[in-house]
Amino acid sequence: MTKGKYIQLILILGSMTALGPFSIDMYLPSFSGIAKDLHTSVTLVSESLSSYFIGISFGQLLYGPLLDRFGRKKPLFIGLLVYILASFGCAVVSDIHVFIGLRFVQAVGSCAATVASVAMVRDLFPVKEIPNVLSKLMLVLGLSPMLAPTIGSYVTTYYGWHPIFYILMCLGGFVLIASQLGLPDTHKPDHTISLKPKPIISNFVAIIKVPQFYTYALTGSIAFSGLFTYVAASPILFMDILKVDATVYGWIFAFMSVSFIGSSQLNSLLLRRFSSEQMIFGALVAQIAISVTFLILAINGDLGLYGTIAMLFLFLACLGISNPNTAGLTLAPFAKNTGSASALMGATQLGIGALSSFAVGIFVKDSMVPMVAIMTCTTIIAFIILNIGKRKIKKTVMNSGDEEIMMGH
């Protein structure tokens, strides 16, 4: 593969991965504007964020078998078409409940790109290269929380919130054209894969039973839910509790993503010296130390705006290191049904993320303590699951003598 072709693949796959997060982050500064226009509360508008997370969880499971059965490009085309139409609907809607429903549909459409991009990474690159490639995708993906809220805040300030969804509609169109013209068809349709519910469910069950899958999928998803907690809580945290305006909030959100991008690129360098397993363990130990410190400072009221930004910056840096490694190790054992494995991994991540965002909606009102408490608990749970699961993986490998399952060492 030439360097130019490699860069082209990374950019297109990265833009596919970034479409969902862009759709989440870009409209965050416009919550109060949407609430005012649709005659409702900011709390009800925030339910559109939760419906988006639920839509992605559901959609991931839908596209997994479709991508394995029909190849990557056809389901991707249909999903992006749904996304474009739903984005247009969000722009012209006048009822909050219809808006919440359309956000669900928009999410179902967008995750065709999310699932296809991860499955195509597994198709196109050797297993040992996957964490490295995923780190590079994080660089493109990381531009989303840098650019999206900042663009969203300026668009909202000068033109209102409706144009945000026209911009998302155009982005969907760009990803559709780029993916259809610029990506190879990496997976031939496999008609042995049934689309009847029973075989699909038994296929998912077979994937879930692989110890390497459930250990790293759960560890990565529960740890990563800290990001969803932060995203869901950030408009309340910065605009209501810490009293910054929409434009400043956009810039703070952009600054935070520098942490995530920087650490995911540092991950590429560290992988030359350390294994993915060591990277995950180290990142989670650091994340526990940071989140516990953060919680103590928050309870004592010792954090102002800059202290809060500093603690969140450090917390997100840990996720930038652990996430590409947990994803790489989760998918390593699968060659035939990569689409389904990728979908299950994504659904687990987004499902747990949706629960975190619901918890934020219930508990985060006028204090940052509940947000930090959720982040601390999820980090500790992820660490416990990692250590229990690693023993199970070791036992499975010793029993079966199967070396493929331990790829990533």
Side-chain angles (χ1 to χ4, degrees), residues 28 31 46 49 53 226-241 249 253 312 356-357 359-361 363-365 367-368 370-372 374-375:
L28 292 175
F31 270 28
S46 74
L49 191 61
F53 290 149
L227 179 72
F228 291 98
T229 304
Y230 157 68
V231 168
S234 61
I236 304 163
L237 173 67
F238 289 114
M239 292 195 279
D240 293 352
I241 298 170
Y249 164 70
F253 206 92
L312 283 168
S356 299
S357 69
V360 166
F363 298 113
V364 181
K365 303 285 185 225
S367 164
M368 72 174 78
M371 176 193 80
V372 187
I374 295 166
M375 290 158 90

PDB file of all heavy atoms in Angstrom, residues 28 31 46 49 53 226-241 249 253 312 356-357 359-361 363-365 367-368 370-372 374-375:
ATOM      1  N   LEU A  28     -24.668  21.019  20.774  1.00  0.00           N
ATOM      2  CA  LEU A  28     -24.671  21.219  22.230  1.00  0.00           C
ATOM      3  C   LEU A  28     -24.814  22.693  22.639  1.00  0.00           C
ATOM      4  O   LEU A  28     -25.581  23.002  23.553  1.00  0.00           O
ATOM      5  CB  LEU A  28     -23.405  20.619  22.859  1.00  0.00           C
ATOM      6  CG  LEU A  28     -23.267  19.087  22.832  1.00  0.00           C
ATOM      7  CD1 LEU A  28     -21.906  18.669  23.391  1.00  0.00           C
ATOM      8  CD2 LEU A  28     -24.380  18.406  23.608  1.00  0.00           C
ATOM      9  N   PHE A  31     -28.617  24.270  22.838  1.00  0.00           N
ATOM     10  CA  PHE A  31     -29.690  23.703  23.662  1.00  0.00           C
ATOM     11  C   PHE A  31     -30.720  24.757  24.090  1.00  0.00           C
ATOM     12  O   PHE A  31     -31.926  24.549  23.972  1.00  0.00           O
ATOM     13  CB  PHE A  31     -29.100  23.016  24.909  1.00  0.00           C
ATOM     14  CG  PHE A  31     -28.767  21.566  24.703  1.00  0.00           C
ATOM     15  CD1 PHE A  31     -28.434  21.081  23.451  1.00  0.00           C
ATOM     16  CD2 PHE A  31     -28.785  20.670  25.765  1.00  0.00           C
ATOM     17  CE1 PHE A  31     -28.114  19.744  23.250  1.00  0.00           C
ATOM     18  CE2 PHE A  31     -28.471  19.320  25.580  1.00  0.00           C
ATOM     19  CZ  PHE A  31     -28.139  18.862  24.318  1.00  0.00           C
ATOM     20  N   SER A  46     -32.304  17.999  26.192  1.00  0.00           N
ATOM     21  CA  SER A  46     -31.189  17.071  26.455  1.00  0.00           C
ATOM     22  C   SER A  46     -31.600  15.616  26.255  1.00  0.00           C
ATOM     23  O   SER A  46     -30.755  14.742  26.062  1.00  0.00           O
ATOM     24  CB  SER A  46     -30.615  17.274  27.871  1.00  0.00           C
ATOM     25  OG  SER A  46     -31.490  16.744  28.833  1.00  0.00           O
ATOM     26  N   LEU A  49     -30.338  14.069  23.136  1.00  0.00           N
ATOM     27  CA  LEU A  49     -28.981  13.515  23.205  1.00  0.00           C
ATOM     28  C   LEU A  49     -29.054  12.037  23.610  1.00  0.00           C
ATOM     29  O   LEU A  49     -28.410  11.176  23.004  1.00  0.00           O
ATOM     30  CB  LEU A  49     -28.142  14.305  24.217  1.00  0.00           C
ATOM     31  CG  LEU A  49     -26.637  14.069  24.257  1.00  0.00           C
ATOM     32  CD1 LEU A  49     -25.982  14.413  22.930  1.00  0.00           C
ATOM     33  CD2 LEU A  49     -26.011  14.878  25.387  1.00  0.00           C
ATOM     34  N   PHE A  53     -28.039   8.537  21.527  1.00  0.00           N
ATOM     35  CA  PHE A  53     -27.216   7.429  22.026  1.00  0.00           C
ATOM     36  C   PHE A  53     -27.947   6.092  21.884  1.00  0.00           C
ATOM     37  O   PHE A  53     -27.357   5.089  21.498  1.00  0.00           O
ATOM     38  CB  PHE A  53     -26.826   7.661  23.496  1.00  0.00           C
ATOM     39  CG  PHE A  53     -25.837   8.773  23.704  1.00  0.00           C
ATOM     40  CD1 PHE A  53     -25.854   9.534  24.866  1.00  0.00           C
ATOM     41  CD2 PHE A  53     -24.876   9.059  22.750  1.00  0.00           C
ATOM     42  CE1 PHE A  53     -24.935  10.564  25.074  1.00  0.00           C
ATOM     43  CE2 PHE A  53     -23.948  10.075  22.939  1.00  0.00           C
ATOM     44  CZ  PHE A  53     -23.985  10.829  24.101  1.00  0.00           C
ATOM     45  N   GLY A 226     -17.031   7.480  30.693  1.00  0.00           N
ATOM     46  CA  GLY A 226     -16.639   8.754  31.310  1.00  0.00           C
ATOM     47  C   GLY A 226     -16.704   9.906  30.329  1.00  0.00           C
ATOM     48  O   GLY A 226     -17.063  11.034  30.687  1.00  0.00           O
ATOM     49  N   LEU A 227     -16.395   9.622  29.049  1.00  0.00           N
ATOM     50  CA  LEU A 227     -16.478  10.652  28.012  1.00  0.00           C
ATOM     51  C   LEU A 227     -17.927  11.062  27.775  1.00  0.00           C
ATOM     52  O   LEU A 227     -18.236  12.246  27.654  1.00  0.00           O
ATOM     53  CB  LEU A 227     -15.841  10.151  26.711  1.00  0.00           C
ATOM     54  CG  LEU A 227     -15.898  11.137  25.535  1.00  0.00           C
ATOM     55  CD1 LEU A 227     -14.952  12.306  25.753  1.00  0.00           C
ATOM     56  CD2 LEU A 227     -15.551  10.449  24.216  1.00  0.00           C
ATOM     57  N   PHE A 228     -18.836  10.073  27.719  1.00  0.00           N
ATOM     58  CA  PHE A 228     -20.255  10.376  27.525  1.00  0.00           C
ATOM     59  C   PHE A 228     -20.819  11.169  28.704  1.00  0.00           C
ATOM     60  O   PHE A 228     -21.643  12.060  28.526  1.00  0.00           O
ATOM     61  CB  PHE A 228     -21.059   9.078  27.347  1.00  0.00           C
ATOM     62  CG  PHE A 228     -20.770   8.363  26.057  1.00  0.00           C
ATOM     63  CD1 PHE A 228     -19.893   7.299  26.018  1.00  0.00           C
ATOM     64  CD2 PHE A 228     -21.359   8.773  24.873  1.00  0.00           C
ATOM     65  CE1 PHE A 228     -19.609   6.641  24.834  1.00  0.00           C
ATOM     66  CE2 PHE A 228     -21.082   8.128  23.682  1.00  0.00           C
ATOM     67  CZ  PHE A 228     -20.214   7.059  23.664  1.00  0.00           C
ATOM     68  N   THR A 229     -20.364  10.805  29.899  1.00  0.00           N
ATOM     69  CA  THR A 229     -20.785  11.539  31.106  1.00  0.00           C
ATOM     70  C   THR A 229     -20.374  13.002  30.979  1.00  0.00           C
ATOM     71  O   THR A 229     -21.175  13.911  31.212  1.00  0.00           O
ATOM     72  CB  THR A 229     -20.128  10.913  32.362  1.00  0.00           C
ATOM     73  OG1 THR A 229     -20.464   9.530  32.418  1.00  0.00           O
ATOM     74  CG2 THR A 229     -20.592  11.609  33.626  1.00  0.00           C
ATOM     75  N   TYR A 230     -19.120  13.227  30.589  1.00  0.00           N
ATOM     76  CA  TYR A 230     -18.607  14.589  30.413  1.00  0.00           C
ATOM     77  C   TYR A 230     -19.374  15.347  29.325  1.00  0.00           C
ATOM     78  O   TYR A 230     -19.784  16.490  29.525  1.00  0.00           O
ATOM     79  CB  TYR A 230     -17.108  14.539  30.083  1.00  0.00           C
ATOM     80  CG  TYR A 230     -16.597  15.756  29.357  1.00  0.00           C
ATOM     81  CD1 TYR A 230     -16.543  16.997  29.991  1.00  0.00           C
ATOM     82  CD2 TYR A 230     -16.210  15.675  28.012  1.00  0.00           C
ATOM     83  CE1 TYR A 230     -16.103  18.121  29.300  1.00  0.00           C
ATOM     84  CE2 TYR A 230     -15.771  16.791  27.329  1.00  0.00           C
ATOM     85  CZ  TYR A 230     -15.725  18.017  27.973  1.00  0.00           C
ATOM     86  OH  TYR A 230     -15.312  19.123  27.288  1.00  0.00           O
ATOM     87  N   VAL A 231     -19.593  14.702  28.158  1.00  0.00           N
ATOM     88  CA  VAL A 231     -20.289  15.364  27.043  1.00  0.00           C
ATOM     89  C   VAL A 231     -21.702  15.761  27.447  1.00  0.00           C
ATOM     90  O   VAL A 231     -22.145  16.889  27.208  1.00  0.00           O
ATOM     91  CB  VAL A 231     -20.321  14.457  25.782  1.00  0.00           C
ATOM     92  CG1 VAL A 231     -21.278  15.005  24.725  1.00  0.00           C
ATOM     93  CG2 VAL A 231     -18.924  14.324  25.180  1.00  0.00           C
ATOM     94  N   ALA A 232     -22.429  14.834  28.096  1.00  0.00           N
ATOM     95  CA  ALA A 232     -23.818  15.113  28.497  1.00  0.00           C
ATOM     96  C   ALA A 232     -23.888  16.196  29.571  1.00  0.00           C
ATOM     97  O   ALA A 232     -24.807  17.022  29.575  1.00  0.00           O
ATOM     98  CB  ALA A 232     -24.484  13.837  28.992  1.00  0.00           C
ATOM     99  N   ALA A 233     -22.908  16.187  30.490  1.00  0.00           N
ATOM    100  CA  ALA A 233     -22.935  17.142  31.611  1.00  0.00           C
ATOM    101  C   ALA A 233     -22.340  18.496  31.246  1.00  0.00           C
ATOM    102  O   ALA A 233     -22.620  19.497  31.914  1.00  0.00           O
ATOM    103  CB  ALA A 233     -22.170  16.565  32.805  1.00  0.00           C
ATOM    104  N   SER A 234     -21.534  18.564  30.174  1.00  0.00           N
ATOM    105  CA  SER A 234     -20.751  19.779  29.912  1.00  0.00           C
ATOM    106  C   SER A 234     -21.588  21.051  29.689  1.00  0.00           C
ATOM    107  O   SER A 234     -21.200  22.109  30.198  1.00  0.00           O
ATOM    108  CB  SER A 234     -19.780  19.561  28.741  1.00  0.00           C
ATOM    109  OG  SER A 234     -20.473  19.264  27.556  1.00  0.00           O
ATOM    110  N   PRO A 235     -22.749  21.013  28.959  1.00  0.00           N
ATOM    111  CA  PRO A 235     -23.511  22.272  28.844  1.00  0.00           C
ATOM    112  C   PRO A 235     -23.989  22.780  30.203  1.00  0.00           C
ATOM    113  O   PRO A 235     -23.963  23.984  30.475  1.00  0.00           O
ATOM    114  CB  PRO A 235     -24.708  21.884  27.951  1.00  0.00           C
ATOM    115  CG  PRO A 235     -24.288  20.645  27.241  1.00  0.00           C
ATOM    116  CD  PRO A 235     -23.376  19.928  28.192  1.00  0.00           C
ATOM    117  N   ILE A 236     -24.436  21.839  31.087  1.00  0.00           N
ATOM    118  CA  ILE A 236     -24.900  22.229  32.427  1.00  0.00           C
ATOM    119  C   ILE A 236     -23.709  22.691  33.262  1.00  0.00           C
ATOM    120  O   ILE A 236     -23.754  23.737  33.919  1.00  0.00           O
ATOM    121  CB  ILE A 236     -25.603  21.040  33.130  1.00  0.00           C
ATOM    122  CG1 ILE A 236     -26.763  20.508  32.276  1.00  0.00           C
ATOM    123  CG2 ILE A 236     -26.110  21.427  34.516  1.00  0.00           C
ATOM    124  CD1 ILE A 236     -27.263  19.119  32.652  1.00  0.00           C
ATOM    125  N   LEU A 237     -22.608  21.911  33.214  1.00  0.00           N
ATOM    126  CA  LEU A 237     -21.417  22.204  34.026  1.00  0.00           C
ATOM    127  C   LEU A 237     -20.846  23.582  33.706  1.00  0.00           C
ATOM    128  O   LEU A 237     -20.642  24.406  34.608  1.00  0.00           O
ATOM    129  CB  LEU A 237     -20.352  21.126  33.788  1.00  0.00           C
ATOM    130  CG  LEU A 237     -18.976  21.368  34.428  1.00  0.00           C
ATOM    131  CD1 LEU A 237     -19.063  21.312  35.946  1.00  0.00           C
ATOM    132  CD2 LEU A 237     -17.958  20.346  33.931  1.00  0.00           C
ATOM    133  N   PHE A 238     -20.598  23.837  32.422  1.00  0.00           N
ATOM    134  CA  PHE A 238     -19.914  25.090  32.063  1.00  0.00           C
ATOM    135  C   PHE A 238     -20.860  26.289  31.940  1.00  0.00           C
ATOM    136  O   PHE A 238     -20.526  27.380  32.396  1.00  0.00           O
ATOM    137  CB  PHE A 238     -19.109  24.904  30.773  1.00  0.00           C
ATOM    138  CG  PHE A 238     -17.902  24.030  30.955  1.00  0.00           C
ATOM    139  CD1 PHE A 238     -17.815  22.804  30.326  1.00  0.00           C
ATOM    140  CD2 PHE A 238     -16.865  24.418  31.781  1.00  0.00           C
ATOM    141  CE1 PHE A 238     -16.711  21.983  30.504  1.00  0.00           C
ATOM    142  CE2 PHE A 238     -15.746  23.612  31.980  1.00  0.00           C
ATOM    143  CZ  PHE A 238     -15.668  22.387  31.337  1.00  0.00           C
ATOM    144  N   MET A 239     -22.033  26.086  31.344  1.00  0.00           N
ATOM    145  CA  MET A 239     -22.914  27.248  31.100  1.00  0.00           C
ATOM    146  C   MET A 239     -23.807  27.587  32.296  1.00  0.00           C
ATOM    147  O   MET A 239     -24.069  28.741  32.568  1.00  0.00           O
ATOM    148  CB  MET A 239     -23.735  27.034  29.826  1.00  0.00           C
ATOM    149  CG  MET A 239     -22.865  27.058  28.576  1.00  0.00           C
ATOM    150  SD  MET A 239     -23.778  27.231  27.007  1.00  0.00           S
ATOM    151  CE  MET A 239     -24.300  25.559  26.733  1.00  0.00           C
ATOM    152  N   ASP A 240     -24.281  26.555  33.042  1.00  0.00           N
ATOM    153  CA  ASP A 240     -25.181  26.820  34.180  1.00  0.00           C
ATOM    154  C   ASP A 240     -24.427  26.952  35.504  1.00  0.00           C
ATOM    155  O   ASP A 240     -24.655  27.881  36.262  1.00  0.00           O
ATOM    156  CB  ASP A 240     -26.243  25.709  34.308  1.00  0.00           C
ATOM    157  CG  ASP A 240     -27.221  25.702  33.144  1.00  0.00           C
ATOM    158  OD1 ASP A 240     -27.162  26.643  32.324  1.00  0.00           O
ATOM    159  OD2 ASP A 240     -28.036  24.766  33.041  1.00  0.00           O
ATOM    160  N   ILE A 241     -23.511  25.978  35.770  1.00  0.00           N
ATOM    161  CA  ILE A 241     -22.835  25.975  37.080  1.00  0.00           C
ATOM    162  C   ILE A 241     -21.654  26.950  37.100  1.00  0.00           C
ATOM    163  O   ILE A 241     -21.504  27.740  38.035  1.00  0.00           O
ATOM    164  CB  ILE A 241     -22.367  24.538  37.452  1.00  0.00           C
ATOM    165  CG1 ILE A 241     -23.575  23.596  37.572  1.00  0.00           C
ATOM    166  CG2 ILE A 241     -21.576  24.549  38.760  1.00  0.00           C
ATOM    167  CD1 ILE A 241     -23.220  22.111  37.689  1.00  0.00           C
ATOM    168  N   TYR A 249     -17.878  28.336  25.961  1.00  0.00           N
ATOM    169  CA  TYR A 249     -18.110  26.894  26.133  1.00  0.00           C
ATOM    170  C   TYR A 249     -17.584  26.113  24.920  1.00  0.00           C
ATOM    171  O   TYR A 249     -16.933  25.075  25.069  1.00  0.00           O
ATOM    172  CB  TYR A 249     -19.608  26.627  26.335  1.00  0.00           C
ATOM    173  CG  TYR A 249     -20.000  25.177  26.150  1.00  0.00           C
ATOM    174  CD1 TYR A 249     -19.613  24.212  27.078  1.00  0.00           C
ATOM    175  CD2 TYR A 249     -20.738  24.768  25.046  1.00  0.00           C
ATOM    176  CE1 TYR A 249     -19.960  22.878  26.903  1.00  0.00           C
ATOM    177  CE2 TYR A 249     -21.094  23.448  24.862  1.00  0.00           C
ATOM    178  CZ  TYR A 249     -20.701  22.505  25.801  1.00  0.00           C
ATOM    179  OH  TYR A 249     -21.041  21.188  25.620  1.00  0.00           O
ATOM    180  N   PHE A 253     -14.668  23.257  25.089  1.00  0.00           N
ATOM    181  CA  PHE A 253     -14.918  21.911  24.559  1.00  0.00           C
ATOM    182  C   PHE A 253     -13.836  21.543  23.538  1.00  0.00           C
ATOM    183  O   PHE A 253     -13.331  20.417  23.515  1.00  0.00           O
ATOM    184  CB  PHE A 253     -16.309  21.864  23.920  1.00  0.00           C
ATOM    185  CG  PHE A 253     -16.924  20.497  23.905  1.00  0.00           C
ATOM    186  CD1 PHE A 253     -17.748  20.075  24.939  1.00  0.00           C
ATOM    187  CD2 PHE A 253     -16.687  19.618  22.859  1.00  0.00           C
ATOM    188  CE1 PHE A 253     -18.328  18.814  24.931  1.00  0.00           C
ATOM    189  CE2 PHE A 253     -17.253  18.351  22.836  1.00  0.00           C
ATOM    190  CZ  PHE A 253     -18.077  17.953  23.879  1.00  0.00           C
ATOM    191  N   LEU A 312     -10.445  17.545  34.051  1.00  0.00           N
ATOM    192  CA  LEU A 312     -11.105  16.885  32.905  1.00  0.00           C
ATOM    193  C   LEU A 312     -10.098  16.594  31.796  1.00  0.00           C
ATOM    194  O   LEU A 312     -10.159  15.553  31.131  1.00  0.00           O
ATOM    195  CB  LEU A 312     -12.247  17.760  32.366  1.00  0.00           C
ATOM    196  CG  LEU A 312     -13.541  17.747  33.185  1.00  0.00           C
ATOM    197  CD1 LEU A 312     -14.476  18.869  32.726  1.00  0.00           C
ATOM    198  CD2 LEU A 312     -14.254  16.397  33.085  1.00  0.00           C
ATOM    199  N   SER A 356     -25.072   6.409  31.027  1.00  0.00           N
ATOM    200  CA  SER A 356     -24.334   7.494  31.703  1.00  0.00           C
ATOM    201  C   SER A 356     -25.006   8.839  31.467  1.00  0.00           C
ATOM    202  O   SER A 356     -25.134   9.648  32.383  1.00  0.00           O
ATOM    203  CB  SER A 356     -22.887   7.575  31.187  1.00  0.00           C
ATOM    204  OG  SER A 356     -22.214   6.386  31.432  1.00  0.00           O
ATOM    205  N   SER A 357     -25.428   9.070  30.195  1.00  0.00           N
ATOM    206  CA  SER A 357     -26.054  10.370  29.895  1.00  0.00           C
ATOM    207  C   SER A 357     -27.415  10.502  30.585  1.00  0.00           C
ATOM    208  O   SER A 357     -27.806  11.592  31.003  1.00  0.00           O
ATOM    209  CB  SER A 357     -26.180  10.581  28.378  1.00  0.00           C
ATOM    210  OG  SER A 357     -27.127   9.716  27.820  1.00  0.00           O
ATOM    211  N   ALA A 359     -28.070   9.137  33.516  1.00  0.00           N
ATOM    212  CA  ALA A 359     -27.699   9.411  34.912  1.00  0.00           C
ATOM    213  C   ALA A 359     -27.362  10.888  35.101  1.00  0.00           C
ATOM    214  O   ALA A 359     -27.733  11.500  36.111  1.00  0.00           O
ATOM    215  CB  ALA A 359     -26.513   8.534  35.314  1.00  0.00           C
ATOM    216  N   VAL A 360     -26.677  11.467  34.112  1.00  0.00           N
ATOM    217  CA  VAL A 360     -26.358  12.905  34.158  1.00  0.00           C
ATOM    218  C   VAL A 360     -27.648  13.724  34.201  1.00  0.00           C
ATOM    219  O   VAL A 360     -27.791  14.652  35.004  1.00  0.00           O
ATOM    220  CB  VAL A 360     -25.492  13.306  32.938  1.00  0.00           C
ATOM    221  CG1 VAL A 360     -25.451  14.823  32.775  1.00  0.00           C
ATOM    222  CG2 VAL A 360     -24.072  12.761  33.092  1.00  0.00           C
ATOM    223  N   GLY A 361     -28.604  13.372  33.326  1.00  0.00           N
ATOM    224  CA  GLY A 361     -29.892  14.082  33.280  1.00  0.00           C
ATOM    225  C   GLY A 361     -30.631  14.042  34.603  1.00  0.00           C
ATOM    226  O   GLY A 361     -31.317  14.992  34.983  1.00  0.00           O
ATOM    227  N   PHE A 363     -29.123  13.339  37.814  1.00  0.00           N
ATOM    228  CA  PHE A 363     -28.374  13.769  39.003  1.00  0.00           C
ATOM    229  C   PHE A 363     -27.654  15.116  38.881  1.00  0.00           C
ATOM    230  O   PHE A 363     -27.448  15.792  39.879  1.00  0.00           O
ATOM    231  CB  PHE A 363     -27.346  12.702  39.406  1.00  0.00           C
ATOM    232  CG  PHE A 363     -27.972  11.390  39.792  1.00  0.00           C
ATOM    233  CD1 PHE A 363     -27.787  10.259  39.007  1.00  0.00           C
ATOM    234  CD2 PHE A 363     -28.759  11.288  40.932  1.00  0.00           C
ATOM    235  CE1 PHE A 363     -28.366   9.041  39.348  1.00  0.00           C
ATOM    236  CE2 PHE A 363     -29.348  10.076  41.287  1.00  0.00           C
ATOM    237  CZ  PHE A 363     -29.155   8.949  40.490  1.00  0.00           C
ATOM    238  N   VAL A 364     -27.233  15.502  37.663  1.00  0.00           N
ATOM    239  CA  VAL A 364     -26.423  16.732  37.542  1.00  0.00           C
ATOM    240  C   VAL A 364     -27.343  17.937  37.370  1.00  0.00           C
ATOM    241  O   VAL A 364     -27.928  18.132  36.306  1.00  0.00           O
ATOM    242  CB  VAL A 364     -25.419  16.627  36.369  1.00  0.00           C
ATOM    243  CG1 VAL A 364     -24.580  17.902  36.270  1.00  0.00           C
ATOM    244  CG2 VAL A 364     -24.494  15.425  36.555  1.00  0.00           C
ATOM    245  N   LYS A 365     -27.481  18.711  38.440  1.00  0.00           N
ATOM    246  CA  LYS A 365     -28.364  19.889  38.403  1.00  0.00           C
ATOM    247  C   LYS A 365     -27.569  21.169  38.691  1.00  0.00           C
ATOM    248  O   LYS A 365     -27.417  22.023  37.851  1.00  0.00           O
ATOM    249  CB  LYS A 365     -29.496  19.749  39.435  1.00  0.00           C
ATOM    250  CG  LYS A 365     -30.357  18.498  39.267  1.00  0.00           C
ATOM    251  CD  LYS A 365     -31.334  18.593  38.104  1.00  0.00           C
ATOM    252  CE  LYS A 365     -32.235  17.379  38.067  1.00  0.00           C
ATOM    253  NZ  LYS A 365     -32.421  16.802  36.752  1.00  0.00           N
ATOM    254  N   SER A 367     -24.508  21.048  40.738  1.00  0.00           N
ATOM    255  CA  SER A 367     -23.200  20.691  41.299  1.00  0.00           C
ATOM    256  C   SER A 367     -22.492  19.734  40.352  1.00  0.00           C
ATOM    257  O   SER A 367     -23.138  18.926  39.682  1.00  0.00           O
ATOM    258  CB  SER A 367     -23.385  20.023  42.670  1.00  0.00           C
ATOM    259  OG  SER A 367     -22.201  19.356  43.058  1.00  0.00           O
ATOM    260  N   MET A 368     -21.142  19.831  40.321  1.00  0.00           N
ATOM    261  CA  MET A 368     -20.374  18.925  39.458  1.00  0.00           C
ATOM    262  C   MET A 368     -20.108  17.581  40.140  1.00  0.00           C
ATOM    263  O   MET A 368     -19.670  16.628  39.496  1.00  0.00           O
ATOM    264  CB  MET A 368     -19.052  19.573  39.055  1.00  0.00           C
ATOM    265  CG  MET A 368     -18.023  19.672  40.150  1.00  0.00           C
ATOM    266  SD  MET A 368     -16.439  20.295  39.545  1.00  0.00           S
ATOM    267  CE  MET A 368     -16.770  22.047  39.422  1.00  0.00           C
ATOM    268  N   PRO A 370     -21.984  14.992  41.254  1.00  0.00           N
ATOM    269  CA  PRO A 370     -22.545  13.761  40.668  1.00  0.00           C
ATOM    270  C   PRO A 370     -21.836  13.331  39.379  1.00  0.00           C
ATOM    271  O   PRO A 370     -21.625  12.137  39.164  1.00  0.00           O
ATOM    272  CB  PRO A 370     -24.007  14.136  40.383  1.00  0.00           C
ATOM    273  CG  PRO A 370     -24.300  15.261  41.302  1.00  0.00           C
ATOM    274  CD  PRO A 370     -23.025  16.023  41.444  1.00  0.00           C
ATOM    275  N   MET A 371     -21.467  14.294  38.532  1.00  0.00           N
ATOM    276  CA  MET A 371     -20.751  13.975  37.290  1.00  0.00           C
ATOM    277  C   MET A 371     -19.429  13.259  37.603  1.00  0.00           C
ATOM    278  O   MET A 371     -19.116  12.202  37.024  1.00  0.00           O
ATOM    279  CB  MET A 371     -20.460  15.251  36.495  1.00  0.00           C
ATOM    280  CG  MET A 371     -19.639  15.014  35.225  1.00  0.00           C
ATOM    281  SD  MET A 371     -18.972  16.537  34.490  1.00  0.00           S
ATOM    282  CE  MET A 371     -17.522  16.821  35.530  1.00  0.00           C
ATOM    283  N   VAL A 372     -18.671  13.817  38.542  1.00  0.00           N
ATOM    284  CA  VAL A 372     -17.351  13.246  38.882  1.00  0.00           C
ATOM    285  C   VAL A 372     -17.525  11.890  39.570  1.00  0.00           C
ATOM    286  O   VAL A 372     -16.735  10.966  39.343  1.00  0.00           O
ATOM    287  CB  VAL A 372     -16.530  14.214  39.770  1.00  0.00           C
ATOM    288  CG1 VAL A 372     -15.119  13.692  39.972  1.00  0.00           C
ATOM    289  CG2 VAL A 372     -16.479  15.608  39.151  1.00  0.00           C
ATOM    290  N   ILE A 374     -19.921   9.686  39.002  1.00  0.00           N
ATOM    291  CA  ILE A 374     -20.227   8.708  37.933  1.00  0.00           C
ATOM    292  C   ILE A 374     -18.924   8.312  37.227  1.00  0.00           C
ATOM    293  O   ILE A 374     -18.665   7.128  36.984  1.00  0.00           O
ATOM    294  CB  ILE A 374     -21.247   9.288  36.918  1.00  0.00           C
ATOM    295  CG1 ILE A 374     -22.603   9.524  37.585  1.00  0.00           C
ATOM    296  CG2 ILE A 374     -21.414   8.354  35.711  1.00  0.00           C
ATOM    297  CD1 ILE A 374     -23.564  10.397  36.774  1.00  0.00           C
ATOM    298  N   MET A 375     -18.088   9.298  36.905  1.00  0.00           N
ATOM    299  CA  MET A 375     -16.820   9.035  36.209  1.00  0.00           C
ATOM    300  C   MET A 375     -15.886   8.161  37.059  1.00  0.00           C
ATOM    301  O   MET A 375     -15.220   7.251  36.550  1.00  0.00           O
ATOM    302  CB  MET A 375     -16.130  10.362  35.853  1.00  0.00           C
ATOM    303  CG  MET A 375     -16.865  11.136  34.767  1.00  0.00           C
ATOM    304  SD  MET A 375     -16.487  12.910  34.782  1.00  0.00           S
ATOM    305  CE  MET A 375     -15.101  13.001  33.717  1.00  0.00           C
TER     306      MET A 375
END
